Amino acid sequence: MSAAAKPDTIFALSSAAGRSAVAVVRMSGPQAAAVVRSMTGRDLAHCTAALRTIRHPVSHAILDRAVVLFFKGPASETGEDIAELQLHGSRAVVAAVLAALGTIPGCRMALPGEFARRAFDNGKIDLTTAEGLADLIDAETEQQRIQALAQASGEHHRLYAGWRRELIQAQALVEAAIDFADEGDVSLHAVGEAMGAALALTEALGRHLAGANRGEIRRTGFKVVLAGAPNAGKSSLLNALSRRDAAIVSDEPGTTRDVIEVRLDLDGIAVLISDTAGIREATGGVEREGVRRSLERVRAADLVLWLRDATAHEGAEAVPAAFMPSLDTATIHIATKMDLLPAGVLGPRGLAISTVTGQGLDALTSEIIRHAKQYLGDDTALAPTQSRHRAHLQAALEHLAAFVAGSSDHLELRAEDLRLAANELGRLTGRIDPEEVLGEIFGRFCIGK
Protein backbone atom coordinates (compact mmCIF):
# COMPACT_ATOMS: atom_id res chain seq x y z
CA MET A 1 0.00 0.00 0.00
CA SER A 2 1.40 3.41 -0.93
CA ALA A 3 1.86 6.15 1.64
CA ALA A 4 -1.14 8.03 0.19
CA ALA A 5 -3.47 5.03 0.06
CA LYS A 6 -6.13 4.73 2.74
CA PRO A 7 -6.11 1.63 4.92
CA ASP A 8 -8.91 -0.89 4.63
CA THR A 9 -11.88 -0.56 6.93
CA ILE A 10 -11.86 -3.72 9.02
CA PHE A 11 -14.83 -5.39 10.70
CA ALA A 12 -15.39 -8.38 12.98
CA LEU A 13 -17.70 -9.93 15.52
CA SER A 14 -16.30 -8.69 18.85
CA SER A 15 -18.63 -10.58 21.16
CA ALA A 16 -18.53 -14.33 21.67
CA ALA A 17 -19.62 -16.48 18.77
CA GLY A 18 -22.85 -18.45 19.01
CA ARG A 19 -26.40 -17.76 20.15
CA SER A 20 -26.70 -14.82 22.55
CA ALA A 21 -29.00 -11.94 23.50
CA VAL A 22 -26.74 -9.32 21.92
CA ALA A 23 -23.92 -9.60 19.37
CA VAL A 24 -21.48 -6.73 18.79
CA VAL A 25 -19.98 -6.16 15.34
CA ARG A 26 -17.20 -3.55 15.25
CA MET A 27 -15.62 -1.75 12.34
CA SER A 28 -12.64 0.60 12.22
CA GLY A 29 -11.25 2.61 9.35
CA PRO A 30 -11.89 5.54 6.99
CA GLN A 31 -15.18 4.13 5.67
CA ALA A 32 -16.85 3.45 9.01
CA ALA A 33 -19.06 6.55 8.78
CA ALA A 34 -20.00 5.75 5.18
CA VAL A 35 -20.89 2.17 6.15
CA VAL A 36 -23.23 3.43 8.86
CA ARG A 37 -24.84 5.78 6.35
CA SER A 38 -25.26 3.09 3.69
CA MET A 39 -26.73 0.52 6.11
CA THR A 40 -28.94 2.84 8.18
CA GLY A 41 -29.72 5.70 5.77
CA ARG A 42 -28.40 8.42 8.10
CA ASP A 43 -25.16 9.75 9.53
CA LEU A 44 -24.40 9.48 13.21
CA ALA A 45 -22.60 12.15 15.24
CA HIS A 46 -19.42 11.45 17.21
CA CYS A 47 -19.88 9.60 20.50
CA THR A 48 -23.60 8.98 20.06
CA ALA A 49 -25.84 5.92 19.95
CA ALA A 50 -29.13 5.41 18.14
CA LEU A 51 -31.60 2.62 17.44
CA ARG A 52 -31.62 2.09 13.68
CA THR A 53 -32.89 -0.36 11.05
CA ILE A 54 -29.93 -2.18 9.49
CA ARG A 55 -30.25 -2.80 5.75
CA HIS A 56 -28.10 -4.59 3.21
CA PRO A 57 -25.99 -1.91 1.42
CA VAL A 58 -26.81 -3.33 -2.03
CA SER A 59 -30.26 -5.00 -1.90
CA HIS A 60 -31.52 -2.76 0.93
CA ALA A 61 -33.19 -5.78 2.53
CA ILE A 62 -33.79 -5.36 6.27
CA LEU A 63 -31.26 -7.39 8.27
CA ASP A 64 -32.05 -6.34 11.86
CA ARG A 65 -32.92 -3.52 14.25
CA ALA A 66 -29.84 -2.57 16.24
CA VAL A 67 -28.22 0.03 18.46
CA VAL A 68 -25.54 1.82 16.42
CA LEU A 69 -22.62 3.69 17.98
CA PHE A 70 -20.10 5.93 16.25
CA PHE A 71 -16.78 7.43 17.37
CA LYS A 72 -14.87 9.86 15.18
CA GLY A 73 -11.14 9.39 14.96
CA PRO A 74 -8.72 10.22 16.42
CA ALA A 75 -10.94 10.38 19.53
CA SER A 76 -11.56 6.64 19.46
CA GLU A 77 -10.03 3.44 20.75
CA THR A 78 -8.06 2.77 17.56
CA GLY A 79 -7.48 6.39 16.55
CA GLU A 80 -9.63 5.78 13.44
CA ASP A 81 -13.36 6.19 12.85
CA ILE A 82 -15.11 3.36 14.71
CA ALA A 83 -18.69 2.10 14.45
CA GLU A 84 -20.42 -0.62 16.42
CA LEU A 85 -23.61 -2.52 15.63
CA GLN A 86 -25.26 -4.06 18.69
CA LEU A 87 -27.38 -6.71 16.98
CA HIS A 88 -29.73 -9.44 18.14
CA GLY A 89 -27.39 -12.32 18.81
CA SER A 90 -28.67 -15.06 16.55
CA ARG A 91 -26.22 -16.83 14.26
CA ALA A 92 -28.36 -15.95 11.24
CA VAL A 93 -28.39 -12.20 12.00
CA VAL A 94 -24.63 -12.07 12.63
CA ALA A 95 -23.87 -14.08 9.48
CA ALA A 96 -26.11 -11.84 7.35
CA VAL A 97 -24.57 -8.60 8.65
CA LEU A 98 -20.99 -9.85 8.26
CA ALA A 99 -21.75 -11.02 4.72
CA ALA A 100 -23.28 -7.63 3.90
CA LEU A 101 -20.23 -5.77 5.23
CA GLY A 102 -18.02 -7.96 3.06
CA THR A 103 -19.77 -6.66 -0.09
CA ILE A 104 -18.64 -3.07 0.54
CA PRO A 105 -15.45 -2.19 -1.41
CA GLY A 106 -12.55 -1.41 0.90
CA CYS A 107 -14.04 -3.35 3.81
CA ARG A 108 -12.68 -6.69 4.95
CA MET A 109 -12.72 -9.06 7.90
CA ALA A 110 -10.19 -8.11 10.57
CA LEU A 111 -7.24 -10.32 11.44
CA PRO A 112 -6.65 -11.47 15.05
CA GLY A 113 -5.55 -8.49 17.13
CA GLU A 114 -5.87 -6.02 14.25
CA PHE A 115 -8.00 -3.51 16.16
CA ALA A 116 -5.41 -3.41 18.96
CA ARG A 117 -2.59 -3.26 16.39
CA ARG A 118 -4.16 -0.16 14.81
CA ALA A 119 -4.48 1.41 18.26
CA PHE A 120 -0.74 0.79 18.74
CA ASP A 121 0.15 2.14 15.29
CA ASN A 122 -1.85 5.30 16.01
CA GLY A 123 -0.22 5.89 19.40
CA LYS A 124 -3.26 4.99 21.51
CA ILE A 125 -1.51 2.18 23.38
CA ASP A 126 2.02 0.84 23.78
CA LEU A 127 3.18 -2.78 23.80
CA THR A 128 2.83 -3.22 27.56
CA THR A 129 -0.75 -1.93 27.41
CA ALA A 130 -1.52 -4.32 24.54
CA GLU A 131 -0.13 -7.23 26.56
CA GLY A 132 -2.26 -6.13 29.50
CA LEU A 133 -5.37 -6.12 27.31
CA ALA A 134 -4.61 -9.66 26.12
CA ASP A 135 -4.06 -10.79 29.72
CA LEU A 136 -7.30 -9.10 30.81
CA ILE A 137 -9.25 -11.00 28.16
CA ASP A 138 -7.61 -14.25 29.33
CA ALA A 139 -7.96 -13.51 33.08
CA GLU A 140 -9.62 -16.31 35.04
CA THR A 141 -8.98 -15.23 38.64
CA GLU A 142 -9.33 -12.05 40.68
CA GLN A 143 -5.58 -11.50 41.03
CA GLN A 144 -5.10 -11.98 37.29
CA ARG A 145 -7.86 -9.43 36.66
CA ILE A 146 -6.33 -6.87 39.04
CA GLN A 147 -2.85 -7.23 37.58
CA ALA A 148 -3.99 -7.24 33.94
CA LEU A 149 -6.30 -4.25 34.44
CA ALA A 150 -3.46 -2.20 35.94
CA GLN A 151 -1.26 -3.01 32.95
CA ALA A 152 -4.06 -2.45 30.41
CA SER A 153 -4.77 0.92 32.05
CA GLY A 154 -1.25 2.06 31.21
CA GLU A 155 0.40 1.87 34.64
CA HIS A 156 3.41 -0.04 33.30
CA HIS A 157 3.65 2.33 30.34
CA ARG A 158 3.73 5.38 32.61
CA LEU A 159 6.39 3.83 34.85
CA TYR A 160 8.69 2.71 32.02
CA ALA A 161 8.20 5.88 29.97
CA GLY A 162 9.04 7.94 33.04
CA TRP A 163 12.23 5.99 33.62
CA ARG A 164 13.18 6.40 29.96
CA ARG A 165 12.72 10.18 30.19
CA GLU A 166 15.02 10.26 33.22
CA LEU A 167 17.65 8.25 31.34
CA ILE A 168 17.48 10.59 28.34
CA GLN A 169 17.86 13.57 30.67
CA ALA A 170 20.90 11.95 32.31
CA GLN A 171 22.34 11.25 28.86
CA ALA A 172 21.87 14.92 27.93
CA LEU A 173 23.76 15.93 31.07
CA VAL A 174 26.72 13.71 30.15
CA GLU A 175 26.73 15.03 26.60
CA ALA A 176 26.66 18.57 28.00
CA ALA A 177 29.69 17.68 30.11
CA ILE A 178 31.46 16.57 26.93
CA ASP A 179 30.57 19.86 25.20
CA PHE A 180 31.80 21.92 28.16
CA ALA A 181 34.84 19.80 28.99
CA ASP A 182 36.98 22.95 29.10
CA GLU A 183 34.83 24.35 31.91
CA GLY A 184 35.72 21.92 34.68
CA ASP A 185 33.10 22.98 37.25
CA VAL A 186 30.23 22.82 34.75
CA SER A 187 31.34 19.41 33.44
CA LEU A 188 31.84 17.96 36.92
CA HIS A 189 28.42 19.18 38.10
CA ALA A 190 26.64 17.71 35.05
CA VAL A 191 28.32 14.31 35.46
CA GLY A 192 27.54 14.29 39.19
CA GLU A 193 23.87 15.05 38.53
CA ALA A 194 23.71 12.28 35.91
CA MET A 195 25.37 9.85 38.32
CA GLY A 196 22.78 10.63 41.02
CA ALA A 197 19.95 9.99 38.59
CA ALA A 198 21.56 6.73 37.42
CA LEU A 199 21.99 5.46 40.99
CA ALA A 200 18.34 6.22 41.82
CA LEU A 201 17.19 4.47 38.65
CA THR A 202 19.42 1.47 39.37
CA GLU A 203 17.74 1.08 42.75
CA ALA A 204 14.24 1.52 41.30
CA LEU A 205 14.81 -1.00 38.48
CA GLY A 206 16.32 -3.48 40.93
CA ARG A 207 13.29 -3.29 43.23
CA HIS A 208 10.93 -3.64 40.27
CA LEU A 209 12.79 -6.64 38.85
CA ALA A 210 12.69 -8.34 42.25
CA GLY A 211 8.93 -8.73 41.75
CA ALA A 212 9.20 -10.16 38.23
CA ASN A 213 8.79 -13.76 39.32
CA ARG A 214 5.69 -12.90 41.36
CA GLY A 215 4.17 -10.95 38.48
CA GLU A 216 4.66 -13.81 36.03
CA ILE A 217 3.29 -16.36 38.53
CA ARG A 218 0.12 -14.29 39.09
CA ARG A 219 -0.34 -14.35 35.34
CA THR A 220 0.52 -18.00 34.60
CA GLY A 221 -0.36 -19.69 37.92
CA PHE A 222 1.23 -20.72 41.24
CA LYS A 223 2.76 -24.13 40.50
CA VAL A 224 1.84 -26.91 42.96
CA VAL A 225 3.21 -30.41 42.31
CA LEU A 226 1.81 -33.63 43.82
CA ALA A 227 4.74 -35.98 44.38
CA GLY A 228 5.49 -39.19 46.23
CA ALA A 229 5.84 -42.92 45.77
CA PRO A 230 3.55 -44.87 43.42
CA ASN A 231 0.00 -45.46 44.70
CA ALA A 232 0.32 -42.76 47.37
CA GLY A 233 -3.00 -41.19 46.34
CA LYS A 234 -1.76 -38.36 44.13
CA SER A 235 -4.34 -38.85 41.37
CA SER A 236 -7.17 -39.18 43.90
CA LEU A 237 -6.09 -35.91 45.51
CA LEU A 238 -5.92 -34.17 42.12
CA ASN A 239 -9.48 -35.31 41.36
CA ALA A 240 -10.68 -34.20 44.81
CA LEU A 241 -9.12 -30.74 44.49
CA SER A 242 -10.42 -30.24 40.94
CA ARG A 243 -13.79 -31.85 41.78
CA ARG A 244 -13.74 -33.92 38.61
CA ASP A 245 -12.09 -37.09 37.25
CA ALA A 246 -9.03 -35.40 35.81
CA ALA A 247 -6.76 -38.41 36.37
CA ILE A 248 -7.18 -42.20 36.22
CA VAL A 249 -7.30 -43.73 39.72
CA SER A 250 -6.24 -47.36 40.19
CA ASP A 251 -4.80 -49.60 42.91
CA GLU A 252 -2.16 -50.64 40.41
CA PRO A 253 1.10 -48.79 41.16
CA GLY A 254 2.50 -46.63 38.37
CA THR A 255 -0.83 -45.80 36.69
CA THR A 256 0.26 -42.21 36.06
CA ARG A 257 3.08 -42.16 33.50
CA ASP A 258 2.91 -38.53 32.39
CA VAL A 259 2.24 -35.21 34.10
CA ILE A 260 -1.44 -34.25 34.36
CA GLU A 261 -2.26 -30.58 35.00
CA VAL A 262 -5.37 -28.90 36.40
CA ARG A 263 -5.82 -25.13 36.71
CA LEU A 264 -7.79 -23.94 39.73
CA ASP A 265 -9.00 -20.62 41.14
CA LEU A 266 -8.27 -20.68 44.87
CA ASP A 267 -9.38 -17.52 46.65
CA GLY A 268 -8.71 -15.43 43.54
CA ILE A 269 -5.28 -16.96 42.85
CA ALA A 270 -4.52 -19.01 39.73
CA VAL A 271 -3.07 -22.33 40.93
CA LEU A 272 -1.65 -24.92 38.53
CA ILE A 273 -1.68 -28.37 40.17
CA SER A 274 0.35 -31.15 38.54
CA ASP A 275 -0.11 -34.86 39.22
CA THR A 276 3.16 -36.68 38.55
CA ALA A 277 4.31 -40.25 38.14
CA GLY A 278 5.21 -42.10 41.33
CA ILE A 279 8.84 -41.57 42.25
CA ARG A 280 10.82 -44.77 42.80
CA GLU A 281 13.72 -46.72 41.29
CA ALA A 282 12.06 -47.41 37.95
CA THR A 283 12.97 -50.43 35.85
CA GLY A 284 11.06 -49.93 32.60
CA GLY A 285 11.94 -47.27 30.06
CA VAL A 286 8.46 -45.67 30.05
CA GLU A 287 8.27 -45.51 33.84
CA ARG A 288 11.83 -44.16 34.02
CA GLU A 289 10.82 -41.31 31.68
CA GLY A 290 7.76 -40.63 33.84
CA VAL A 291 9.96 -40.39 36.94
CA ARG A 292 12.34 -38.04 35.12
CA ARG A 293 9.45 -35.74 34.18
CA SER A 294 8.16 -35.87 37.75
CA LEU A 295 11.51 -34.73 39.11
CA GLU A 296 11.61 -31.89 36.57
CA ARG A 297 8.25 -30.64 37.82
CA VAL A 298 9.31 -30.98 41.45
CA ARG A 299 12.40 -28.87 40.82
CA ALA A 300 10.34 -26.18 39.01
CA ALA A 301 7.51 -26.13 41.58
CA ASP A 302 6.58 -23.21 43.82
CA LEU A 303 5.11 -25.70 46.32
CA VAL A 304 5.43 -29.49 46.60
CA LEU A 305 2.78 -31.69 48.24
CA TRP A 306 4.72 -34.79 49.26
CA LEU A 307 2.22 -37.66 49.70
CA ARG A 308 2.66 -40.85 51.71
CA ASP A 309 0.16 -43.69 52.14
CA ALA A 310 -0.78 -43.67 55.85
CA THR A 311 -1.45 -47.43 55.76
CA ALA A 312 2.03 -48.34 54.50
CA HIS A 313 4.45 -49.89 56.96
CA GLU A 314 7.37 -47.74 58.02
CA GLY A 315 10.00 -47.98 55.31
CA ALA A 316 7.67 -49.63 52.82
CA GLU A 317 7.58 -46.43 50.78
CA ALA A 318 11.16 -45.41 51.32
CA VAL A 319 12.28 -43.09 48.54
CA PRO A 320 15.94 -42.44 47.72
CA ALA A 321 17.07 -39.14 49.25
CA ALA A 322 18.14 -37.91 45.80
CA PHE A 323 14.50 -38.02 44.72
CA MET A 324 13.21 -35.79 47.50
CA PRO A 325 12.26 -32.19 46.57
CA SER A 326 14.90 -29.52 46.85
CA LEU A 327 15.23 -27.88 50.24
CA ASP A 328 14.70 -24.56 48.42
CA THR A 329 11.14 -25.59 47.51
CA ALA A 330 8.39 -25.24 50.10
CA THR A 331 7.01 -28.70 50.91
CA ILE A 332 3.90 -29.90 52.73
CA HIS A 333 4.03 -33.52 53.93
CA ILE A 334 0.65 -35.25 53.63
CA ALA A 335 -0.57 -38.58 54.95
CA THR A 336 -3.21 -40.03 52.62
CA LYS A 337 -5.90 -42.76 52.85
CA MET A 338 -6.71 -41.97 56.49
CA ASP A 339 -10.11 -43.64 56.02
CA LEU A 340 -8.32 -47.01 55.83
CA LEU A 341 -6.73 -46.68 59.29
CA PRO A 342 -8.48 -48.13 62.36
CA ALA A 343 -10.38 -45.56 64.41
CA GLY A 344 -8.12 -43.61 66.77
CA VAL A 345 -4.89 -44.50 64.99
CA LEU A 346 -2.81 -41.46 64.06
CA GLY A 347 -1.10 -41.26 60.70
CA PRO A 348 2.43 -40.08 59.89
CA ARG A 349 3.56 -36.52 60.58
CA GLY A 350 2.12 -33.64 58.57
CA LEU A 351 -1.39 -33.08 57.28
CA ALA A 352 -3.69 -36.12 57.27
CA ILE A 353 -6.32 -36.46 54.53
CA SER A 354 -8.83 -38.82 53.01
CA THR A 355 -10.22 -38.21 49.53
CA VAL A 356 -13.01 -40.69 50.37
CA THR A 357 -14.37 -38.96 53.49
CA GLY A 358 -13.03 -35.46 52.74
CA GLN A 359 -10.99 -35.39 55.94
CA GLY A 360 -8.32 -32.68 55.88
CA LEU A 361 -9.09 -31.40 52.36
CA ASP A 362 -10.30 -27.98 53.56
CA ALA A 363 -7.22 -27.62 55.74
CA LEU A 364 -4.97 -28.61 52.83
CA THR A 365 -6.66 -26.10 50.50
CA SER A 366 -6.18 -23.38 53.13
CA GLU A 367 -2.48 -24.28 53.38
CA ILE A 368 -2.03 -24.06 49.61
CA ILE A 369 -3.71 -20.62 49.60
CA ARG A 370 -1.56 -19.46 52.54
CA HIS A 371 1.66 -20.51 50.79
CA ALA A 372 0.56 -18.88 47.53
CA LYS A 373 -0.34 -15.57 49.18
CA GLN A 374 2.89 -15.56 51.16
CA TYR A 375 4.88 -16.24 47.99
CA LEU A 376 3.07 -13.68 45.83
CA GLY A 377 2.94 -10.88 48.38
CA ASP A 378 0.99 -7.66 47.74
CA ASP A 379 -1.34 -8.21 44.78
CA THR A 380 -1.49 -4.45 44.11
CA ALA A 381 2.26 -3.98 43.68
CA LEU A 382 3.29 -3.20 40.10
CA ALA A 383 5.56 -5.95 38.74
CA PRO A 384 6.80 -7.18 35.35
CA THR A 385 4.41 -9.78 33.97
CA GLN A 386 6.24 -11.18 30.94
CA SER A 387 9.65 -12.73 30.34
CA ARG A 388 10.08 -10.06 27.62
CA HIS A 389 9.74 -7.34 30.25
CA ARG A 390 12.28 -9.02 32.48
CA ALA A 391 14.83 -9.32 29.65
CA HIS A 392 14.65 -5.64 28.65
CA LEU A 393 14.67 -4.41 32.25
CA GLN A 394 17.65 -6.61 33.10
CA ALA A 395 19.54 -5.33 30.05
CA ALA A 396 18.77 -1.71 31.02
CA LEU A 397 20.01 -2.41 34.53
CA GLU A 398 23.26 -3.86 33.19
CA HIS A 399 23.88 -0.75 31.03
CA LEU A 400 23.19 1.44 34.07
CA ALA A 401 25.67 -0.59 36.10
CA ALA A 402 28.26 -0.09 33.36
CA PHE A 403 27.66 3.67 33.52
CA VAL A 404 28.01 3.80 37.31
CA ALA A 405 31.17 1.66 37.32
CA GLY A 406 32.75 3.27 34.24
CA SER A 407 35.53 5.81 34.21
CA SER A 408 34.61 9.49 33.88
CA ASP A 409 37.69 9.87 31.68
CA HIS A 410 35.67 8.39 28.82
CA LEU A 411 32.42 10.36 28.89
CA GLU A 412 31.53 9.33 25.33
CA LEU A 413 31.33 5.71 26.50
CA ARG A 414 29.34 6.69 29.58
CA ALA A 415 26.82 8.55 27.40
CA GLU A 416 26.56 5.43 25.24
CA ASP A 417 25.80 3.34 28.36
CA LEU A 418 22.85 5.61 29.14
CA ARG A 419 21.65 5.59 25.53
CA LEU A 420 21.64 1.79 25.46
CA ALA A 421 19.74 1.65 28.76
CA ALA A 422 17.12 4.08 27.42
CA ASN A 423 16.84 2.03 24.23
CA GLU A 424 16.02 -1.11 26.23
CA LEU A 425 13.13 0.68 27.91
CA GLY A 426 12.08 2.00 24.49
CA ARG A 427 11.97 -1.55 23.12
CA LEU A 428 9.95 -2.58 26.17
CA THR A 429 7.16 -0.12 25.37
CA GLY A 430 7.53 -0.36 21.57
CA ARG A 431 9.03 3.06 20.89
CA ILE A 432 12.14 1.46 19.36
CA ASP A 433 12.42 -1.54 17.02
CA PRO A 434 9.08 -3.15 17.91
CA GLU A 435 8.61 -5.13 14.69
CA GLU A 436 10.11 -8.39 15.89
CA VAL A 437 7.58 -8.73 18.74
CA LEU A 438 4.43 -7.27 17.18
CA GLY A 439 3.26 -10.49 15.57
CA GLU A 440 3.71 -12.46 18.76
CA ILE A 441 1.90 -9.93 20.94
CA PHE A 442 -1.07 -9.08 18.73
CA GLY A 443 -1.43 -12.65 17.54
CA ARG A 444 -2.61 -13.54 21.07
CA PHE A 445 -5.84 -11.56 20.58
CA CYS A 446 -9.02 -13.05 19.22
CA ILE A 447 -10.56 -11.64 16.03
CA GLY A 448 -12.52 -8.50 16.88
CA LYS A 449 -10.09 -7.07 19.42
Side-chain angles (χ1 to χ4, degrees):
M1 184 178 69
S2 67
K6 291 184 177 181
D8 291 336
T9 295
I10 56 174
F11 63 87
L13 175 67
S14 290
S15 53
R19 181 174 177 269
S20 61
V22 177
V24 178
V25 171
R26 302 173 74 201
M27 60 197 83
S28 177
Q31 295 193 84
V35 170
V36 170
R37 188 185 314 116
S38 68
M39 297 185 76
T40 68
R42 285 179 286 174
D43 288 320
L44 199 60
H46 169 64
C47 203
T48 58
L51 180 63
R52 298 280 173 81
T53 298
I54 309 299
R55 296 179 180 273
H56 193 286
V58 177
S59 68
H60 306 295
I62 295 176
L63 303 178
D64 196 17
R65 289 271 289 171
V67 174
V68 183
L69 297 90
F70 180 73
F71 303 90
K72 181 71 176 174
S76 70
E77 184 180 357
T78 64
E80 302 176 326
D81 289 355
I82 284 184
E84 281 191 5
L85 308 177
Q86 297 185 1
L87 308 160
H88 291 95
S90 78
R91 290 181 174 88
V93 168
V94 171
V97 170
L98 292 178
L101 287 169
T103 66
I104 300 174
C107 292
R108 63 170 175 81
M109 184 73 77
L111 300 172
E114 194 168 4
F115 285 90
R117 172 65 187 267
R118 291 193 176 193
F120 171 79
D121 289 340
N122 292 320
K124 292 294 184 177
I125 60 174
D126 78 323
L127 293 186
T128 63
T129 306
E131 289 167 322
L133 285 170
D135 287 346
L136 187 59
I137 291 169
D138 292 338
E140 296 177 339
T141 70
E142 181 65 6
Q143 282 208 3
Q144 287 177 332
R145 182 193 67 80
I146 291 170
Q147 177 170 276
L149 184 59
Q151 187 171 336
S153 300
E155 291 191 20
H156 285 74
H157 165 72
R158 287 186 286 273
L159 178 65
Y160 299 150
W163 284 344
R164 185 170 183 268
R165 283 193 300 271
E166 292 180 42
L167 281 169
I168 291 172
Q169 289 168 3
Q171 181 186 347
L173 286 168
V174 175
E175 289 174 350
I178 296 171
D179 292 339
F180 294 95
D182 294 338
E183 301 180 32
D185 291 344
V186 174
S187 179
L188 189 62
H189 176 76
V191 172
E193 194 174 341
M195 181 63 70
L199 288 170
L201 282 170
T202 298
E203 184 179 346
L205 261 71
R207 286 196 306 268
H208 188 64
L209 266 170
N213 195 43
R214 293 191 295 274
E216 290 182 46
I217 288 173
R218 285 195 196 102
R219 177 174 166 266
T220 60
F222 182 75
K223 296 186 290 294
V224 177
V225 172
L226 310 182
N231 213 22
K234 299 182 293 297
S235 297
S236 295
L237 178 56
L238 181 75
N239 291 343
L241 291 173
S242 63
R243 299 183 181 180
R244 63 183 177 88
D245 291 335
I248 298 173
V249 176
S250 170
D251 292 333
E252 179 184 344
T255 303
T256 301
R257 297 295 181 88
D258 205 349
V259 176
I260 300 172
E261 293 182 339
V262 170
R263 186 177 293 275
L264 303 179
D265 178 350
L266 298 183
D267 200 25
I269 301 170
V271 177
L272 186 65
I273 299 184
S274 300
D275 176 21
T276 62
I279 296 177
R280 64 177 177 180
E281 293 284 6
T283 55
V286 174
E287 187 179 4
R288 190 179 298 112
E289 175 62 17
V291 170
R292 186 193 67 78
R293 294 185 184 189
S294 296
L295 295 175
E296 271 188 1
R297 289 305 178 98
V298 166
R299 284 190 285 268
D302 301 313
L303 175 66
V304 172
L305 307 185
W306 193 263
L307 276 59
R308 181 180 185 277
D309 185 347
T311 66
H313 298 296
E314 192 66 34
E317 286 190 324
V319 178
F323 288 169
M324 290 294 285
S326 166
L327 294 177
D328 293 334
T329 304
T331 304
I332 300 176
H333 292 269
I334 302 170
T336 63
K337 307 182 183 181
M338 290 297 293
D339 56 290
L340 299 181
L341 288 180
V345 176
L346 298 177
R349 66 186 180 90
L351 280 174
I353 68 168
S354 166
T355 58
V356 175
T357 66
Q359 174 189 344
L361 292 182
D362 287 343
L364 174 57
T365 301
S366 296
E367 274 296 289
I368 294 172
I369 293 170
R370 184 182 70 80
H371 276 271
K373 287 185 174 180
Q374 185 178 32
Y375 192 93
L376 293 174
D378 182 9
D379 62 2
T380 62
L382 205 60
T385 63
Q386 314 266 345
S387 58
R388 187 182 73 86
H389 300 179
R390 191 204 302 246
H392 288 303
L393 289 165
Q394 186 62 50
L397 193 58
E398 289 170 3
H399 291 306
L400 273 172
F403 170 80
V404 171
S407 170
S408 59
D409 293 335
H410 303 286
L411 291 182
E412 294 85 355
L413 297 179
R414 303 292 72 79
E416 180 67 5
D417 291 333
L418 293 176
R419 187 188 69 80
L420 292 172
N423 282 355
E424 290 297 334
L425 295 183
R427 292 187 176 94
L428 179 55
T429 60
R431 289 182 63 92
I432 298 173
D433 300 333
E435 289 298 329
E436 66 271 19
V437 296
L438 291 182
E440 179 180 347
I441 290 173
F442 292 107
R444 289 181 55 202
F445 288 95
C446 55
I447 293 175
K449 185 61 180 174

